Amino acid sequence: RDCNRLVYMDIDPYENDPARWAHSLAHLSEILLPCLDTAGARSVVEVGAFAGDLTQVLLEWAAVSGARISAIDPTPHETLVQLAEARDDLELVRETSLVALQHIPVPDAVIIDGDHNYYTVAEELRAIAARGDGATLPLLLIHDVCWPHGRRDNYFEPERIPAESRHEIAEGGGLVPGEPGVRPGGLPYKAAAAREGGPRNGVLTAVEDFVAGREGLQLAVVPVFFGLGVVWDRGAPWSGAMEELLRPWDGNALLARLEENRAHHLAHWYLQTSKTYQAEERA
């Protein structure tokens, strides 16, 4: 069996990931899909679909479950555009999440993997909750709740974020686990916050603030592949089953150590690659 391919699916999650960051939520399919099944989701909205890696997985799952899949991305990669053109069972919404979530039908589950900063995630969650009219909140699956974006903003297009909601940006700054600032040669991000931590900074911070501000919600964090946060309403009829499903993964110390080691080696690889490139330039 090709271990690079997803279990039960002929899908390579590294197809659009030549540097092998494992940045796609497709790598968490073995946990994400059972969450959708447990919630009985028959309509799923994916925020931030980009190249459609996870979208392909969702479509394979929906072919069996009968669910409807919608993908939101204002600037979709050509592979996602082609996928949408080829599949009648996929709706591609070419709008920002903060626009689309105001008018699309409220789904059973929302997957949030768009702009990884406090303002955007907080506004996405607020928009979803506002559409519920007091009913049970949709199942929420949020990517990048661990390092590097759990406690540090990153802005895909900084000008879209109100100035008062943006942190100081370190343009092209290198991010390294354990370094709250930036370091040359770390993971390169075009517009990451200059410092990690503090209030209103990062995806996990936004999720935690949302959960704390609304009664009856539960949060589980699966600490691998940049982290998956799962939020659900404890009043949902499937709440107990969801808690049981996620109990072995929530805050799992072994997974957290593996992810810390993976992130360290990924950043170290970039550091060594940068030094090699500089040495070749000087030669």
Short mmCIF file of all heavy atoms in Angstrom, two decimals, residues 21 147 172-177 182-189 263-276 278:
data_model
loop_
_atom_site.label_atom_id
_atom_site.label_comp_id
_atom_site.label_asym_id
_atom_site.label_seq_id
_atom_site.Cartn_x
_atom_site.Cartn_y
_atom_site.Cartn_z
N TRP A 21 4.92 20.09 3.27
CA TRP A 21 4.55 20.70 4.55
C TRP A 21 3.43 19.92 5.21
O TRP A 21 3.23 20.04 6.41
CB TRP A 21 4.09 22.14 4.33
CG TRP A 21 5.17 23.14 4.11
CD1 TRP A 21 6.35 22.96 3.46
CD2 TRP A 21 5.15 24.50 4.55
NE1 TRP A 21 7.07 24.13 3.44
CE2 TRP A 21 6.35 25.09 4.11
CE3 TRP A 21 4.24 25.27 5.24
CZ2 TRP A 21 6.67 26.43 4.36
CZ3 TRP A 21 4.54 26.61 5.49
CH2 TRP A 21 5.76 27.18 5.07
N TRP A 147 0.73 25.24 16.28
CA TRP A 147 1.81 26.03 15.70
C TRP A 147 1.83 25.84 14.18
O TRP A 147 1.58 24.76 13.68
CB TRP A 147 3.16 25.57 16.30
CG TRP A 147 4.29 26.47 15.92
CD1 TRP A 147 4.71 27.57 16.60
CD2 TRP A 147 5.12 26.35 14.77
NE1 TRP A 147 5.76 28.14 15.93
CE2 TRP A 147 6.03 27.43 14.80
CE3 TRP A 147 5.18 25.46 13.70
CZ2 TRP A 147 6.99 27.63 13.82
CZ3 TRP A 147 6.13 25.64 12.70
CH2 TRP A 147 7.02 26.73 12.77
N GLY A 172 7.93 38.36 5.29
CA GLY A 172 8.88 37.31 4.93
C GLY A 172 9.62 36.72 6.11
O GLY A 172 10.61 36.01 5.93
N GLY A 173 9.11 36.98 7.31
CA GLY A 173 9.80 36.51 8.50
C GLY A 173 9.81 35.00 8.61
O GLY A 173 8.86 34.32 8.21
N GLY A 174 10.89 34.43 9.14
CA GLY A 174 11.00 32.99 9.31
C GLY A 174 10.45 32.57 10.66
O GLY A 174 10.85 33.11 11.70
N LEU A 175 9.54 31.61 10.67
CA LEU A 175 8.94 31.14 11.91
C LEU A 175 9.57 29.82 12.33
O LEU A 175 9.71 28.90 11.51
CB LEU A 175 7.43 30.96 11.73
CG LEU A 175 6.65 32.15 11.17
CD1 LEU A 175 5.16 31.89 11.24
CD2 LEU A 175 7.01 33.44 11.88
N VAL A 176 9.96 29.76 13.59
CA VAL A 176 10.64 28.58 14.14
C VAL A 176 9.96 28.22 15.46
O VAL A 176 9.71 29.10 16.28
CB VAL A 176 12.14 28.87 14.38
CG1 VAL A 176 12.83 27.66 15.01
CG2 VAL A 176 12.83 29.25 13.08
N PRO A 177 9.65 26.93 15.69
CA PRO A 177 9.03 26.55 16.96
C PRO A 177 9.87 27.01 18.16
O PRO A 177 11.09 26.87 18.17
CB PRO A 177 8.99 25.01 16.88
CG PRO A 177 8.99 24.71 15.42
CD PRO A 177 9.84 25.78 14.79
N VAL A 182 10.77 36.28 15.01
CA VAL A 182 11.10 35.67 13.72
C VAL A 182 12.59 35.43 13.66
O VAL A 182 13.37 36.05 14.38
CB VAL A 182 10.65 36.55 12.53
CG1 VAL A 182 9.15 36.70 12.51
CG2 VAL A 182 11.33 37.92 12.58
N ARG A 183 12.99 34.51 12.78
CA ARG A 183 14.40 34.16 12.65
C ARG A 183 14.71 33.88 11.18
O ARG A 183 13.94 33.17 10.52
CB ARG A 183 14.72 32.91 13.48
CG ARG A 183 16.18 32.50 13.47
CD ARG A 183 16.40 31.17 14.16
NE ARG A 183 15.94 31.18 15.53
CZ ARG A 183 15.92 30.10 16.31
NH1 ARG A 183 16.32 28.92 15.82
NH2 ARG A 183 15.50 30.18 17.55
N PRO A 184 15.79 34.41 10.67
CA PRO A 184 16.15 34.12 9.28
C PRO A 184 16.27 32.62 9.03
O PRO A 184 16.85 31.89 9.83
CB PRO A 184 17.51 34.82 9.10
CG PRO A 184 17.51 35.90 10.14
CD PRO A 184 16.75 35.33 11.31
N GLY A 185 15.67 32.16 7.94
CA GLY A 185 15.78 30.77 7.58
C GLY A 185 14.68 29.88 8.10
O GLY A 185 14.63 28.70 7.75
N GLY A 186 13.76 30.42 8.93
CA GLY A 186 12.64 29.61 9.39
C GLY A 186 11.59 29.48 8.31
O GLY A 186 11.81 29.85 7.15
N LEU A 187 10.43 28.94 8.66
CA LEU A 187 9.36 28.80 7.67
C LEU A 187 8.97 30.17 7.15
O LEU A 187 8.62 31.06 7.93
CB LEU A 187 8.15 28.11 8.29
CG LEU A 187 8.33 26.67 8.74
CD1 LEU A 187 6.99 26.08 9.14
CD2 LEU A 187 8.98 25.81 7.66
N PRO A 188 9.02 30.38 5.84
CA PRO A 188 8.77 31.70 5.29
C PRO A 188 7.28 32.01 5.15
O PRO A 188 6.53 31.24 4.55
CB PRO A 188 9.44 31.63 3.91
CG PRO A 188 9.32 30.18 3.52
CD PRO A 188 9.40 29.40 4.80
N TYR A 189 6.87 33.11 5.71
CA TYR A 189 5.50 33.60 5.56
C TYR A 189 5.55 35.06 5.13
O TYR A 189 6.29 35.85 5.71
CB TYR A 189 4.71 33.46 6.86
CG TYR A 189 4.24 32.04 7.11
CD1 TYR A 189 5.02 31.16 7.85
CD2 TYR A 189 3.04 31.59 6.59
CE1 TYR A 189 4.60 29.86 8.07
CE2 TYR A 189 2.61 30.29 6.80
CZ TYR A 189 3.39 29.43 7.54
OH TYR A 189 2.98 28.14 7.75
N ALA A 263 7.45 19.82 13.12
CA ALA A 263 7.59 21.25 12.86
C ALA A 263 9.04 21.69 13.00
O ALA A 263 9.54 22.50 12.21
CB ALA A 263 6.69 22.04 13.80
N HIS A 264 9.73 21.14 14.00
CA HIS A 264 11.14 21.48 14.20
C HIS A 264 11.96 21.08 12.98
O HIS A 264 12.78 21.87 12.49
CB HIS A 264 11.67 20.77 15.45
CG HIS A 264 13.16 20.83 15.58
ND1 HIS A 264 13.82 21.94 16.06
CD2 HIS A 264 14.12 19.91 15.27
CE1 HIS A 264 15.13 21.70 16.03
NE2 HIS A 264 15.34 20.49 15.58
N HIS A 265 11.77 19.87 12.49
CA HIS A 265 12.55 19.40 11.35
C HIS A 265 12.19 20.14 10.07
O HIS A 265 13.05 20.39 9.22
CB HIS A 265 12.38 17.89 11.17
CG HIS A 265 13.15 17.09 12.18
ND1 HIS A 265 14.53 16.97 12.13
CD2 HIS A 265 12.76 16.40 13.27
CE1 HIS A 265 14.95 16.23 13.14
NE2 HIS A 265 13.89 15.88 13.85
N LEU A 266 10.91 20.52 9.92
CA LEU A 266 10.50 21.28 8.75
C LEU A 266 11.18 22.65 8.74
O LEU A 266 11.72 23.08 7.72
CB LEU A 266 8.98 21.44 8.74
CG LEU A 266 8.36 22.13 7.52
CD1 LEU A 266 8.69 21.38 6.24
CD2 LEU A 266 6.84 22.24 7.71
N ALA A 267 11.17 23.32 9.91
CA ALA A 267 11.82 24.63 10.00
C ALA A 267 13.34 24.49 9.84
O ALA A 267 13.99 25.33 9.19
CB ALA A 267 11.49 25.29 11.33
N HIS A 268 13.91 23.45 10.42
CA HIS A 268 15.36 23.24 10.32
C HIS A 268 15.75 22.97 8.87
O HIS A 268 16.80 23.44 8.40
CB HIS A 268 15.78 22.06 11.20
CG HIS A 268 17.25 21.83 11.24
ND1 HIS A 268 18.13 22.68 11.91
CD2 HIS A 268 18.03 20.85 10.70
CE1 HIS A 268 19.36 22.23 11.77
NE2 HIS A 268 19.33 21.12 11.05
N TRP A 269 14.91 22.24 8.13
CA TRP A 269 15.19 21.97 6.73
C TRP A 269 15.24 23.28 5.95
O TRP A 269 16.12 23.47 5.10
CB TRP A 269 14.13 21.04 6.16
CG TRP A 269 14.33 20.72 4.70
CD1 TRP A 269 15.15 19.78 4.16
CD2 TRP A 269 13.69 21.38 3.59
NE1 TRP A 269 15.08 19.81 2.79
CE2 TRP A 269 14.19 20.76 2.40
CE3 TRP A 269 12.76 22.40 3.49
CZ2 TRP A 269 13.77 21.17 1.14
CZ3 TRP A 269 12.34 22.79 2.23
CH2 TRP A 269 12.84 22.19 1.07
N TYR A 270 14.30 24.19 6.24
CA TYR A 270 14.32 25.48 5.55
C TYR A 270 15.55 26.28 5.92
O TYR A 270 16.15 26.97 5.07
CB TYR A 270 13.05 26.28 5.89
CG TYR A 270 11.99 26.13 4.84
CD1 TYR A 270 11.04 25.14 4.93
CD2 TYR A 270 11.94 26.98 3.74
CE1 TYR A 270 10.07 24.98 3.97
CE2 TYR A 270 10.98 26.82 2.75
CZ TYR A 270 10.05 25.82 2.87
OH TYR A 270 9.10 25.67 1.90
N LEU A 271 15.97 26.21 7.17
CA LEU A 271 17.17 26.93 7.60
C LEU A 271 18.40 26.42 6.86
O LEU A 271 19.20 27.20 6.33
CB LEU A 271 17.36 26.77 9.10
CG LEU A 271 18.63 27.37 9.71
CD1 LEU A 271 18.65 28.89 9.48
CD2 LEU A 271 18.73 27.04 11.18
N GLN A 272 18.55 25.09 6.79
CA GLN A 272 19.70 24.52 6.10
C GLN A 272 19.65 24.80 4.60
O GLN A 272 20.69 25.06 3.96
CB GLN A 272 19.77 23.02 6.36
CG GLN A 272 20.01 22.65 7.81
CD GLN A 272 21.26 23.32 8.37
OE1 GLN A 272 22.32 23.32 7.74
NE2 GLN A 272 21.13 23.91 9.55
N THR A 273 18.45 24.76 4.03
CA THR A 273 18.30 25.05 2.61
C THR A 273 18.70 26.49 2.32
O THR A 273 19.37 26.79 1.32
CB THR A 273 16.84 24.82 2.17
OG1 THR A 273 16.50 23.45 2.38
CG2 THR A 273 16.66 25.15 0.69
N SER A 274 18.30 27.41 3.23
CA SER A 274 18.66 28.82 3.06
C SER A 274 20.17 29.02 3.12
O SER A 274 20.75 29.75 2.31
CB SER A 274 17.97 29.65 4.15
OG SER A 274 18.36 31.01 4.08
N LYS A 275 20.83 28.35 4.07
CA LYS A 275 22.28 28.48 4.19
C LYS A 275 22.98 27.90 2.97
O LYS A 275 23.96 28.47 2.49
CB LYS A 275 22.75 27.74 5.45
CG LYS A 275 22.36 28.43 6.77
CD LYS A 275 22.90 27.66 7.96
CE LYS A 275 22.59 28.38 9.26
NZ LYS A 275 23.08 27.63 10.45
N THR A 276 22.49 26.79 2.45
CA THR A 276 23.08 26.18 1.26
C THR A 276 22.94 27.11 0.07
O THR A 276 23.90 27.29 -0.73
CB THR A 276 22.42 24.84 0.96
OG1 THR A 276 22.61 23.95 2.07
CG2 THR A 276 23.00 24.20 -0.29
N GLN A 278 22.63 30.38 0.12
CA GLN A 278 23.50 31.54 0.29
C GLN A 278 24.94 31.17 -0.03
O GLN A 278 25.69 31.97 -0.62
CB GLN A 278 23.37 32.07 1.73
CG GLN A 278 22.02 32.69 2.02
CD GLN A 278 21.85 33.02 3.50
OE1 GLN A 278 22.77 32.86 4.29
NE2 GLN A 278 20.65 33.45 3.86
#
